[in-house]
Amino acid sequence: MSETRSALIVDDEHDIRELLVLTLGRMGLRTDTAPNLAAAREMLGTATYDLCLTDMRLPDGSGLELVGEISTRFPGMPVAVITAYGNVEAAVEALKAGAFDFVNKPVDIHVLRGLVRQALELGERARRTSEEHSSRLLGASDAMVTLRNTIAKVARSQAPVFINGESGTGKELVARTIHAQGARAAGPFVPVNCGAIPTELMESEFFGHKKGSFTGAHSDKPGLFQAADGGTLFLDEVAELPLPMQVKLLRAIQEKSIRPVGAPGEVQVDVRILSATHKDLGVLVSEGRFRHDLYYRINVIGLNVPPLRERAGDLPLLSNAILQRLAQAMHRAPPMLDDHAVAALEAYPFPGNVRELENVLERALAMADGDSITADDLHLPAAPGAPRTMSPVITGTHPALPAGTPPPRDPRTVSPFETAGTALPSFIEDIERAAIQQSLQENRYNKTKTAAALGITFRALRYKLKKLGID
Ligand SMILES: Nc1ncnc2c1ncn2[C@@H]1O[C@H](COP(=O)(O)OP(=O)(O)OP(=O)(O)O)[C@@H](O)[C@H]1O
Protein backbone atom coordinates (compact mmCIF):
# COMPACT_ATOMS: atom_id res chain seq x y z
CA MET A 1 0.00 0.00 0.00
CA SER A 2 2.32 2.73 -1.17
CA GLU A 3 -0.20 5.41 -2.17
CA THR A 4 -1.66 7.68 0.49
CA ARG A 5 -4.98 6.48 1.90
CA SER A 6 -7.65 8.97 2.78
CA ALA A 7 -10.48 9.18 5.27
CA LEU A 8 -13.55 11.34 5.71
CA ILE A 9 -14.31 12.27 9.32
CA VAL A 10 -17.85 13.43 10.10
CA ASP A 11 -18.50 14.81 13.59
CA ASP A 12 -20.01 18.02 14.88
CA GLU A 13 -17.64 18.22 17.86
CA HIS A 14 -14.51 20.12 16.95
CA ASP A 15 -12.34 18.36 19.57
CA ILE A 16 -13.28 14.90 18.36
CA ARG A 17 -12.57 15.86 14.76
CA GLU A 18 -9.15 17.13 15.84
CA LEU A 19 -8.39 13.93 17.76
CA LEU A 20 -9.36 11.76 14.80
CA VAL A 21 -7.41 13.87 12.32
CA LEU A 22 -4.33 13.60 14.54
CA THR A 23 -4.61 9.85 15.10
CA LEU A 24 -5.32 8.98 11.47
CA GLY A 25 -2.67 11.43 10.30
CA ARG A 26 -0.10 9.63 12.44
CA MET A 27 -1.15 6.41 10.70
CA GLY A 28 -0.26 8.01 7.36
CA LEU A 29 -3.81 8.83 6.25
CA ARG A 30 -4.89 12.02 4.55
CA THR A 31 -8.09 13.33 6.17
CA ASP A 32 -10.99 15.60 5.29
CA THR A 33 -13.51 16.66 7.90
CA ALA A 34 -17.18 17.55 7.81
CA PRO A 35 -19.25 18.91 10.75
CA ASN A 36 -22.61 17.71 9.40
CA LEU A 37 -24.38 15.49 6.85
CA ALA A 38 -24.69 18.15 4.18
CA ALA A 39 -20.96 18.87 4.18
CA ALA A 40 -20.16 15.15 4.18
CA ARG A 41 -22.40 14.58 1.14
CA GLU A 42 -20.72 17.43 -0.69
CA MET A 43 -17.27 15.99 -0.01
CA LEU A 44 -18.33 12.53 -1.13
CA GLY A 45 -19.45 14.07 -4.40
CA THR A 46 -16.04 15.45 -5.18
CA ALA A 47 -13.61 12.89 -3.79
CA THR A 48 -13.41 9.20 -2.99
CA TYR A 49 -12.20 8.01 0.38
CA ASP A 50 -10.77 4.74 1.59
CA LEU A 51 -12.68 5.02 4.84
CA CYS A 52 -15.37 7.10 6.55
CA LEU A 53 -15.79 7.64 10.29
CA THR A 54 -19.06 9.25 11.24
CA ASP A 55 -20.73 10.27 14.43
CA MET A 56 -24.26 8.93 14.91
CA ARG A 57 -25.87 12.16 16.05
CA LEU A 58 -25.32 15.02 13.64
CA PRO A 59 -26.97 18.45 13.64
CA ASP A 60 -28.87 17.80 10.37
CA GLY A 61 -29.67 14.09 10.71
CA SER A 62 -28.36 10.69 11.67
CA GLY A 63 -25.02 9.12 10.77
CA LEU A 64 -27.10 6.10 9.81
CA GLU A 65 -28.29 7.94 6.70
CA LEU A 66 -24.68 8.39 5.64
CA VAL A 67 -23.93 4.71 6.30
CA GLY A 68 -26.80 3.73 3.99
CA GLU A 69 -25.80 6.17 1.27
CA ILE A 70 -22.16 5.13 1.31
CA SER A 71 -23.01 1.41 1.21
CA THR A 72 -25.12 1.98 -1.92
CA ARG A 73 -22.95 4.51 -3.71
CA PHE A 74 -19.47 3.26 -2.78
CA PRO A 75 -19.92 -0.43 -2.03
CA GLY A 76 -16.19 -1.05 -1.46
CA MET A 77 -15.74 1.78 1.04
CA PRO A 78 -15.84 0.87 4.74
CA VAL A 79 -17.71 3.21 7.07
CA ALA A 80 -17.54 3.04 10.86
CA VAL A 81 -19.74 4.91 13.32
CA ILE A 82 -18.91 6.66 16.58
CA THR A 83 -21.63 6.02 19.16
CA ALA A 84 -22.31 7.25 22.65
CA TYR A 85 -20.91 4.87 25.25
CA GLY A 86 -23.35 2.06 26.03
CA ASN A 87 -25.73 2.82 23.19
CA VAL A 88 -25.87 -0.77 21.98
CA GLU A 89 -29.05 -0.30 19.94
CA ALA A 90 -27.51 2.48 17.87
CA ALA A 91 -24.44 0.34 17.23
CA VAL A 92 -26.58 -2.58 16.09
CA GLU A 93 -28.63 -0.30 13.82
CA ALA A 94 -25.45 0.98 12.24
CA LEU A 95 -24.14 -2.51 11.56
CA LYS A 96 -27.49 -3.45 10.01
CA ALA A 97 -27.34 -0.39 7.76
CA GLY A 98 -23.99 -1.60 6.41
CA ALA A 99 -21.41 -0.08 8.80
CA PHE A 100 -18.21 -2.04 9.04
CA ASP A 101 -17.77 -1.47 12.80
CA PHE A 102 -18.40 1.06 15.57
CA VAL A 103 -16.35 2.80 18.22
CA ASN A 104 -17.60 4.16 21.53
CA LYS A 105 -17.21 7.67 22.86
CA PRO A 106 -14.93 8.67 24.51
CA VAL A 107 -12.77 7.30 21.75
CA ASP A 108 -10.05 4.87 22.85
CA ILE A 109 -7.08 5.54 20.56
CA HIS A 110 -5.98 1.90 20.65
CA VAL A 111 -9.38 0.62 19.57
CA LEU A 112 -9.58 3.31 16.92
CA ARG A 113 -6.21 2.39 15.42
CA GLY A 114 -7.18 -1.30 15.23
CA LEU A 115 -10.46 -0.41 13.57
CA VAL A 116 -8.77 1.81 10.97
CA ARG A 117 -6.22 -0.87 10.12
CA GLN A 118 -8.96 -3.46 9.60
CA ALA A 119 -11.06 -1.06 7.54
CA LEU A 120 -8.15 -0.35 5.21
CA GLU A 121 -7.49 -4.04 4.76
CA LEU A 122 -11.16 -4.63 4.01
CA GLY A 123 -11.19 -1.81 1.44
CA GLU A 124 -8.04 -3.17 -0.18
CA ARG A 125 -9.65 -6.59 -0.53
CA ALA A 126 -12.79 -5.04 -2.07
CA ARG A 127 -10.61 -3.09 -4.51
CA ARG A 128 -8.77 -6.26 -5.58
CA THR A 129 -12.07 -8.09 -6.13
CA SER A 130 -13.34 -5.21 -8.23
CA GLU A 131 -10.13 -5.29 -10.30
CA GLU A 132 -10.68 -9.00 -10.93
CA HIS A 133 -14.22 -8.21 -12.04
CA SER A 134 -12.94 -5.51 -14.37
CA SER A 135 -10.82 -8.05 -16.23
CA ARG A 136 -13.95 -10.06 -17.00
CA LEU A 137 -15.56 -10.32 -20.37
CA LEU A 138 -18.71 -8.30 -19.74
CA GLY A 139 -21.93 -8.19 -21.72
CA ALA A 140 -25.45 -9.55 -21.39
CA SER A 141 -26.25 -9.66 -25.12
CA ASP A 142 -27.02 -13.08 -26.63
CA ALA A 143 -23.75 -12.89 -28.57
CA MET A 144 -21.66 -12.34 -25.41
CA VAL A 145 -23.51 -14.98 -23.41
CA THR A 146 -22.90 -17.50 -26.21
CA LEU A 147 -19.26 -16.44 -26.44
CA ARG A 148 -18.72 -16.88 -22.69
CA ASN A 149 -20.37 -20.34 -22.79
CA THR A 150 -18.17 -21.38 -25.71
CA ILE A 151 -15.08 -20.08 -23.91
CA ALA A 152 -15.95 -22.19 -20.86
CA LYS A 153 -16.04 -25.32 -23.06
CA VAL A 154 -12.99 -24.43 -25.12
CA ALA A 155 -10.96 -23.66 -21.98
CA ARG A 156 -11.21 -27.29 -20.89
CA SER A 157 -9.42 -28.55 -24.01
CA GLN A 158 -5.80 -28.07 -25.08
CA ALA A 159 -6.69 -27.38 -28.72
CA PRO A 160 -5.38 -24.27 -30.48
CA VAL A 161 -7.99 -21.52 -30.72
CA PHE A 162 -8.16 -18.87 -33.41
CA ILE A 163 -9.99 -15.67 -32.41
CA ASN A 164 -11.29 -13.38 -35.10
CA GLY A 165 -12.86 -9.97 -34.65
CA GLU A 166 -12.42 -6.28 -35.38
CA SER A 167 -9.82 -4.20 -33.56
CA GLY A 168 -10.66 -3.52 -29.93
CA THR A 169 -13.50 -6.06 -29.68
CA GLY A 170 -11.79 -7.95 -26.85
CA LYS A 171 -9.82 -10.70 -28.61
CA GLU A 172 -6.94 -10.55 -26.15
CA LEU A 173 -9.40 -10.55 -23.25
CA VAL A 174 -11.01 -13.68 -24.75
CA ALA A 175 -7.57 -15.32 -24.97
CA ARG A 176 -6.78 -14.38 -21.36
CA THR A 177 -10.14 -15.77 -20.25
CA ILE A 178 -9.52 -19.09 -22.03
CA HIS A 179 -6.13 -19.31 -20.31
CA ALA A 180 -7.51 -18.32 -16.90
CA GLN A 181 -10.31 -20.88 -17.05
CA GLY A 182 -8.18 -23.75 -18.32
CA ALA A 183 -5.83 -26.28 -16.81
CA ARG A 184 -2.85 -24.03 -17.53
CA ALA A 185 -4.12 -21.11 -15.44
CA ALA A 186 -1.23 -21.44 -12.99
CA GLY A 187 1.24 -21.30 -15.89
CA PRO A 188 2.30 -18.17 -17.79
CA PHE A 189 0.17 -16.31 -20.34
CA VAL A 190 2.55 -14.77 -22.87
CA PRO A 191 1.03 -12.35 -25.40
CA VAL A 192 3.04 -11.39 -28.47
CA ASN A 193 2.12 -8.85 -31.10
CA CYS A 194 3.40 -10.53 -34.26
CA GLY A 195 3.19 -7.25 -36.16
CA ALA A 196 5.50 -5.44 -33.77
CA ILE A 197 8.62 -7.66 -34.01
CA PRO A 198 11.16 -6.65 -36.66
CA THR A 199 11.53 -9.51 -39.19
CA GLU A 200 15.25 -9.95 -38.54
CA LEU A 201 14.66 -10.46 -34.80
CA MET A 202 11.69 -12.79 -35.09
CA GLU A 203 13.44 -16.12 -34.85
CA SER A 204 15.45 -15.04 -31.83
CA GLU A 205 12.35 -13.53 -30.16
CA PHE A 206 10.26 -16.68 -30.62
CA PHE A 207 12.91 -19.35 -30.05
CA GLY A 208 15.64 -17.53 -28.06
CA HIS A 209 19.35 -17.50 -28.81
CA LYS A 210 22.73 -18.59 -27.47
CA LYS A 211 25.40 -16.11 -26.46
CA GLY A 212 27.56 -15.05 -29.44
CA SER A 213 25.22 -16.57 -32.06
CA PHE A 214 25.02 -13.16 -33.77
CA THR A 215 26.30 -9.64 -33.20
CA GLY A 216 24.54 -8.27 -30.19
CA ALA A 217 23.80 -11.68 -28.61
CA HIS A 218 25.77 -10.91 -25.44
CA SER A 219 24.17 -13.65 -23.36
CA ASP A 220 21.87 -16.66 -23.67
CA LYS A 221 18.28 -15.51 -24.02
CA PRO A 222 15.18 -17.70 -23.79
CA GLY A 223 12.51 -17.01 -26.40
CA LEU A 224 8.75 -16.57 -26.13
CA PHE A 225 8.08 -20.31 -26.46
CA GLN A 226 10.25 -21.03 -23.43
CA ALA A 227 8.70 -18.13 -21.54
CA ALA A 228 5.27 -19.69 -22.18
CA ASP A 229 6.35 -23.23 -21.25
CA GLY A 230 3.57 -24.87 -19.21
CA GLY A 231 1.19 -22.06 -20.18
CA THR A 232 -0.21 -20.24 -23.20
CA LEU A 233 1.39 -18.34 -26.05
CA PHE A 234 -1.00 -15.79 -27.55
CA LEU A 235 -0.08 -14.85 -31.11
CA ASP A 236 -1.84 -11.51 -31.59
CA GLU A 237 -1.99 -10.06 -35.14
CA VAL A 238 -0.96 -13.51 -36.39
CA ALA A 239 -1.69 -12.44 -39.99
CA GLU A 240 1.37 -10.19 -39.84
CA LEU A 241 3.83 -13.11 -39.63
CA PRO A 242 6.12 -13.20 -42.65
CA LEU A 243 5.94 -16.44 -44.69
CA PRO A 244 9.41 -17.80 -43.72
CA MET A 245 8.53 -17.36 -40.03
CA GLN A 246 5.21 -19.13 -40.58
CA VAL A 247 7.15 -22.26 -41.68
CA LYS A 248 9.29 -22.19 -38.53
CA LEU A 249 6.32 -21.60 -36.29
CA LEU A 250 4.37 -24.47 -37.83
CA ARG A 251 7.28 -26.78 -37.20
CA ALA A 252 7.61 -25.68 -33.56
CA ILE A 253 3.87 -26.22 -32.99
CA GLN A 254 3.88 -29.65 -34.66
CA GLU A 255 7.08 -30.94 -33.05
CA LYS A 256 6.43 -29.28 -29.67
CA SER A 257 10.11 -28.37 -29.65
CA ILE A 258 12.23 -25.39 -30.67
CA ARG A 259 15.87 -24.75 -31.45
CA PRO A 260 17.27 -21.46 -30.05
CA VAL A 261 19.39 -19.54 -32.58
CA GLY A 262 22.94 -20.89 -32.32
CA ALA A 263 21.98 -23.85 -30.11
CA PRO A 264 23.21 -27.33 -30.99
CA GLY A 265 19.95 -29.12 -30.23
CA GLU A 266 16.23 -28.93 -29.72
CA VAL A 267 14.42 -27.93 -26.52
CA GLN A 268 11.05 -29.49 -25.67
CA VAL A 269 8.26 -26.99 -24.95
CA ASP A 270 4.73 -27.50 -23.70
CA VAL A 271 2.71 -24.54 -24.95
CA ARG A 272 -0.93 -24.01 -25.87
CA ILE A 273 -1.29 -21.75 -28.89
CA LEU A 274 -4.04 -19.14 -29.05
CA SER A 275 -4.00 -16.67 -31.93
CA ALA A 276 -5.98 -13.71 -33.20
CA THR A 277 -6.32 -11.23 -36.00
CA HIS A 278 -8.79 -8.63 -37.19
CA LYS A 279 -8.07 -9.69 -40.80
CA ASP A 280 -9.83 -12.39 -42.82
CA LEU A 281 -7.23 -15.14 -42.64
CA GLY A 282 -9.18 -17.32 -45.11
CA VAL A 283 -8.74 -14.62 -47.76
CA LEU A 284 -5.02 -14.30 -46.98
CA VAL A 285 -4.67 -18.06 -47.39
CA SER A 286 -6.42 -17.97 -50.77
CA GLU A 287 -4.12 -15.12 -51.83
CA GLY A 288 -1.06 -17.16 -50.80
CA ARG A 289 -0.09 -14.66 -48.08
CA PHE A 290 -0.73 -17.05 -45.20
CA ARG A 291 0.23 -20.74 -45.25
CA HIS A 292 -2.81 -23.01 -45.34
CA ASP A 293 -1.08 -25.69 -43.22
CA LEU A 294 -0.40 -23.18 -40.42
CA TYR A 295 -3.94 -21.83 -40.78
CA TYR A 296 -5.44 -25.30 -40.20
CA ARG A 297 -3.03 -25.95 -37.34
CA ILE A 298 -3.91 -22.80 -35.37
CA ASN A 299 -7.59 -22.76 -36.32
CA VAL A 300 -8.69 -26.06 -34.77
CA ILE A 301 -11.35 -24.12 -32.89
CA GLY A 302 -12.47 -20.76 -34.26
CA LEU A 303 -14.14 -18.02 -32.19
CA ASN A 304 -15.66 -14.85 -33.50
CA VAL A 305 -15.91 -11.76 -31.29
CA PRO A 306 -18.77 -9.57 -32.55
CA PRO A 307 -18.27 -5.82 -33.01
CA LEU A 308 -19.75 -3.54 -30.37
CA ARG A 309 -22.28 -2.00 -32.81
CA GLU A 310 -23.91 -5.45 -33.13
CA ARG A 311 -24.43 -5.62 -29.39
CA ALA A 312 -25.33 -2.04 -28.52
CA GLY A 313 -27.44 -3.44 -25.68
CA ASP A 314 -24.16 -4.13 -23.85
CA LEU A 315 -23.24 -0.44 -23.87
CA PRO A 316 -24.77 0.67 -20.53
CA LEU A 317 -23.29 -2.30 -18.66
CA LEU A 318 -19.87 -1.92 -20.28
CA SER A 319 -19.84 1.86 -19.87
CA ASN A 320 -20.74 1.74 -16.19
CA ALA A 321 -18.10 -0.92 -15.50
CA ILE A 322 -15.45 1.09 -17.35
CA LEU A 323 -16.44 4.33 -15.58
CA GLN A 324 -16.32 2.58 -12.23
CA ARG A 325 -12.81 1.28 -12.93
CA LEU A 326 -11.52 4.62 -14.25
CA ALA A 327 -13.08 6.61 -11.39
CA GLN A 328 -11.64 4.23 -8.83
CA ALA A 329 -8.16 4.69 -10.26
CA MET A 330 -8.67 8.48 -10.00
CA HIS A 331 -10.08 8.20 -6.45
CA ARG A 332 -13.32 9.74 -7.66
CA ALA A 333 -16.94 8.80 -7.27
CA PRO A 334 -18.08 7.15 -10.52
CA PRO A 335 -20.37 9.53 -12.43
CA MET A 336 -23.60 8.39 -14.10
CA LEU A 337 -24.28 8.69 -17.81
CA ASP A 338 -27.38 10.81 -18.37
CA ASP A 339 -30.13 9.69 -20.81
CA HIS A 340 -28.76 11.71 -23.71
CA ALA A 341 -25.29 10.32 -23.20
CA VAL A 342 -26.57 6.72 -23.27
CA ALA A 343 -28.60 7.48 -26.42
CA ALA A 344 -25.56 9.07 -28.07
CA LEU A 345 -23.39 6.04 -27.25
CA GLU A 346 -26.04 3.70 -28.63
CA ALA A 347 -26.28 5.71 -31.85
CA TYR A 348 -22.52 5.78 -32.47
CA PRO A 349 -21.08 2.83 -34.44
CA PHE A 350 -17.80 2.49 -32.47
CA PRO A 351 -15.41 1.44 -35.25
CA GLY A 352 -12.71 1.06 -32.57
CA ASN A 353 -15.07 -1.07 -30.46
CA VAL A 354 -14.60 -1.45 -26.68
CA ARG A 355 -11.15 0.15 -26.76
CA GLU A 356 -12.65 3.25 -28.35
CA LEU A 357 -15.44 3.23 -25.77
CA GLU A 358 -12.77 3.20 -23.05
CA ASN A 359 -11.02 6.18 -24.68
CA VAL A 360 -14.27 8.12 -25.06
CA LEU A 361 -15.23 7.52 -21.43
CA GLU A 362 -11.77 8.36 -20.10
CA ARG A 363 -11.87 11.69 -21.89
CA ALA A 364 -15.47 12.30 -20.76
CA LEU A 365 -14.54 11.58 -17.16
CA ALA A 366 -11.81 14.18 -17.35
CA MET A 367 -14.27 16.73 -18.82
CA ALA A 368 -17.29 16.04 -16.60
CA ASP A 369 -17.71 18.49 -13.73
CA GLY A 370 -20.30 16.84 -11.56
CA ASP A 371 -21.96 13.54 -10.83
CA SER A 372 -23.13 12.87 -14.37
CA ILE A 373 -21.72 12.66 -17.88
CA THR A 374 -23.68 14.42 -20.59
CA ALA A 375 -23.70 13.76 -24.35
CA ASP A 376 -21.56 16.90 -24.71
CA ASP A 377 -18.87 15.48 -22.46
CA LEU A 378 -18.54 12.44 -24.76
CA HIS A 379 -17.29 14.39 -27.79
CA LEU A 380 -18.15 11.53 -30.10
CA PRO A 381 -16.60 11.92 -33.51
CA ALA A 382 -18.66 11.89 -36.69
CA ALA A 383 -19.22 8.36 -37.96
CA PRO A 384 -16.25 7.34 -40.13
CA GLY A 385 -16.88 8.04 -43.75
CA ALA A 386 -19.65 10.51 -43.00
CA PRO A 387 -18.75 14.19 -43.10
CA ARG A 388 -19.34 15.85 -39.78
CA THR A 389 -22.43 17.98 -39.53
CA MET A 390 -22.14 21.62 -38.73
CA SER A 391 -23.57 21.13 -35.30
CA PRO A 392 -21.98 18.58 -32.99
CA VAL A 393 -23.37 15.06 -33.36
CA ILE A 394 -25.29 15.24 -30.13
CA THR A 395 -25.33 18.76 -28.87
CA GLY A 396 -26.53 18.14 -25.36
CA THR A 397 -28.68 21.22 -25.66
CA HIS A 398 -31.86 19.15 -25.76
CA PRO A 399 -33.99 19.43 -22.65
CA ALA A 400 -34.00 16.32 -20.46
CA LEU A 401 -35.71 13.49 -22.35
CA PRO A 402 -39.16 12.72 -21.00
CA ALA A 403 -39.91 9.00 -20.74
CA GLY A 404 -40.77 7.46 -24.10
CA THR A 405 -39.07 10.16 -26.17
CA PRO A 406 -37.09 8.60 -29.02
CA PRO A 407 -33.34 9.06 -28.66
CA PRO A 408 -31.53 11.72 -30.70
CA ARG A 409 -31.22 10.70 -34.32
CA ASP A 410 -28.44 8.45 -35.49
CA PRO A 411 -25.53 10.63 -36.69
CA ARG A 412 -24.89 8.06 -39.46
CA THR A 413 -28.14 9.05 -41.13
CA VAL A 414 -27.21 12.71 -41.44
CA SER A 415 -26.98 13.73 -45.08
CA PRO A 416 -23.81 15.47 -46.22
CA PHE A 417 -26.06 17.95 -48.02
CA GLU A 418 -27.17 19.36 -44.70
CA THR A 419 -23.91 21.24 -44.77
CA ALA A 420 -25.13 23.35 -47.70
CA GLY A 421 -25.26 27.01 -46.85
CA THR A 422 -22.34 26.77 -44.42
CA ALA A 423 -19.15 28.73 -44.95
CA LEU A 424 -16.67 26.78 -47.11
CA PRO A 425 -13.66 26.94 -44.74
CA SER A 426 -15.71 25.49 -41.93
CA PHE A 427 -17.07 22.76 -44.24
CA ILE A 428 -13.53 21.82 -45.27
CA GLU A 429 -12.42 21.79 -41.64
CA ASP A 430 -15.21 19.36 -40.83
CA ILE A 431 -14.17 17.01 -43.61
CA GLU A 432 -10.56 17.27 -42.48
CA ARG A 433 -11.57 16.56 -38.90
CA ALA A 434 -13.57 13.48 -39.93
CA ALA A 435 -10.66 12.15 -42.02
CA ILE A 436 -8.17 12.63 -39.16
CA GLN A 437 -10.48 11.05 -36.62
CA GLN A 438 -11.08 8.07 -38.87
CA SER A 439 -7.38 7.61 -39.45
CA LEU A 440 -6.66 7.95 -35.71
CA GLN A 441 -9.12 5.15 -35.01
CA GLU A 442 -7.73 2.96 -37.77
CA ASN A 443 -4.24 3.44 -36.39
CA ARG A 444 -5.34 2.96 -32.81
CA TYR A 445 -4.54 6.53 -31.87
CA ASN A 446 -0.87 6.09 -32.78
CA LYS A 447 -0.05 9.58 -34.05
CA THR A 448 3.11 8.60 -35.93
CA LYS A 449 1.21 5.96 -37.91
CA THR A 450 -1.75 8.30 -38.41
CA ALA A 451 0.48 11.03 -39.83
CA ALA A 452 2.11 8.50 -42.19
CA ALA A 453 -1.29 7.16 -43.30
CA LEU A 454 -2.54 10.68 -44.00
CA GLY A 455 0.65 11.56 -45.87
CA ILE A 456 1.53 14.50 -43.60
CA THR A 457 4.35 15.06 -41.14
CA PHE A 458 4.00 14.38 -37.44
CA ARG A 459 4.35 18.11 -36.77
CA ALA A 460 1.61 18.91 -39.29
CA LEU A 461 -0.68 16.37 -37.64
CA ARG A 462 0.00 17.86 -34.22
CA TYR A 463 -0.81 21.32 -35.53
CA LYS A 464 -4.05 20.11 -37.14
CA LEU A 465 -5.15 18.24 -34.01
CA LYS A 466 -4.75 21.43 -32.02
CA LYS A 467 -6.37 23.64 -34.62
CA LEU A 468 -9.35 21.33 -35.11
CA GLY A 469 -9.77 20.76 -31.38
CA ILE A 470 -9.19 17.03 -31.53
CA ASP A 471 -7.36 15.57 -28.55
N1 LIG B 1 -16.59 -7.70 -23.20
C1 LIG B 1 -15.71 -6.91 -22.58
N2 LIG B 1 -15.86 -6.64 -21.27
C2 LIG B 1 -15.00 -5.82 -20.63
N3 LIG B 1 -13.95 -5.24 -21.20
C3 LIG B 1 -13.73 -5.48 -22.50
C4 LIG B 1 -14.59 -6.33 -23.26
N4 LIG B 1 -14.12 -6.40 -24.51
C5 LIG B 1 -13.03 -5.63 -24.55
N5 LIG B 1 -12.77 -5.09 -23.35
C6 LIG B 1 -11.67 -4.15 -23.02
O1 LIG B 1 -11.42 -3.40 -24.21
C7 LIG B 1 -10.03 -3.20 -24.41
C8 LIG B 1 -9.62 -3.80 -25.74
O2 LIG B 1 -9.71 -5.22 -25.65
P1 LIG B 1 -8.62 -6.19 -26.31
O3 LIG B 1 -7.25 -5.62 -26.21
O4 LIG B 1 -8.85 -7.54 -25.75
O5 LIG B 1 -9.11 -6.10 -27.83
P2 LIG B 1 -8.47 -6.76 -29.13
O6 LIG B 1 -9.60 -7.21 -29.96
O7 LIG B 1 -7.43 -7.77 -28.73
O8 LIG B 1 -7.77 -5.51 -29.80
P3 LIG B 1 -6.69 -5.50 -31.01
O9 LIG B 1 -7.34 -6.14 -32.19
O10 LIG B 1 -6.48 -4.05 -31.23
O11 LIG B 1 -5.48 -6.23 -30.49
C9 LIG B 1 -9.34 -3.87 -23.22
O12 LIG B 1 -9.08 -2.90 -22.23
C10 LIG B 1 -10.36 -4.87 -22.72
O13 LIG B 1 -10.20 -5.14 -21.35
Side-chain angles (χ1 to χ4, degrees), residues 185-433:
F189 175 87
V190 178
V192 47
N193 182 341
C194 300
I197 310 175
T199 314
E200 64 280 10
L201 292 182
M202 254 187 191
E203 192 172 350
S204 151
E205 282 295 313
F206 274 106
F207 307 133
H209 62 244
K210 301 301 279 181
K211 180 179 173 183
S213 54
F214 56 88
T215 325
H218 300 301
S219 56
D220 287 2
K221 183 179 169 252
L224 294 163
F225 269 86
Q226 281 162 293
D229 200 13
T232 303
L233 182 60
F234 173 52
L235 306 174
D236 200 3
E237 309 293 357
V238 70
E240 309 308 318
L241 284 172
L243 282 166
M245 195 58 211
Q246 293 177 22
V247 182
K248 292 182 177 141
L249 218 53
L250 175 66
R251 194 182 162 280
I253 297 171
Q254 275 172 341
E255 305 295 323
K256 296 187 173 28
S257 71
I258 48 121
R259 183 198 287 257
V261 179
E266 299 270 319
V267 181
Q268 292 292 314
V269 280
D270 167 30
V271 168
R272 183 180 191 187
I273 300 288
L274 303 180
S275 48
T277 179
H278 62 280
K279 292 191 175 164
D280 187 334
L281 215 48
V283 169
L284 296 185
V285 169
S286 64
E287 289 171 350
R289 290 196 281 152
F290 200 87
R291 289 185 65 98
H292 75 276
D293 43 9
L294 180 59
Y295 177 57
Y296 290 118
R297 180 55 69 163
I298 59 174
N299 190 11
V300 175
I301 299 170
L303 290 184
N304 197 39
V305 190
L308 191 50
R309 65 183 168 279
E310 284 177 17
R311 45 186 167 109
D314 285 343
L315 272 165
L317 176 74
L318 270 172
S319 306
N320 285 328
I322 292 168
L323 282 174
Q324 181 111 19
R325 172 162 51 81
L326 292 170
Q328 197 154 29
M330 293 163 77
H331 283 271
R332 277 180 63 169
M336 303 285 287
L337 288 162
D338 75 11
D339 288 351
H340 278 99
V342 173
L345 288 175
E346 285 174 349
Y348 180 66
F350 281 102
N353 293 292
V354 187
R355 182 175 299 108
E356 188 183 3
L357 175 66
E358 287 177 339
N359 290 339
V360 164
L361 293 176
E362 190 169 0
R363 194 176 47 205
L365 194 61
M367 308 288 277
D369 300 322
D371 283 353
S372 67
I373 288 183
T374 66
D376 262 356
D377 295 327
L378 294 172
H379 286 276
L380 287 169
R388 200 178 157 94
T389 51
M390 287 305 104
S391 54
V393 173
I394 305 292
T395 61
T397 52
H398 314 259
L401 280 177
T405 308
R409 65 190 174 156
D410 184 337
R412 285 167 290 179
T413 60
V414 172
S415 155
F417 298 111
E418 283 183 32
T419 52
T422 313
L424 188 62
S426 138
F427 181 58
I428 291 169
E429 265 189 14
D430 281 343
I431 291 176
E432 213 174 20
R433 186 182 292 109

Side-chain angles (χ1 to χ4, degrees), residues 134-139 144 148 165-174 234 236-237 276-278 305 311 318 322 325 354-355 358 444:
S134 75
S135 59
R136 283 193 195 156
L137 205 52
L138 300 172
M144 285 312 285
R148 276 199 301 268
E166 290 178 14
S167 264
T169 43
K171 298 185 293 298
E172 176 160 347
L173 192 53
V174 167
F234 173 52
D236 200 3
E237 309 293 357
T277 179
H278 62 280
V305 190
R311 45 186 167 109
L318 270 172
I322 292 168
R325 172 162 51 81
V354 187
R355 182 175 299 108
E358 287 177 339
R444 292 195 227 140

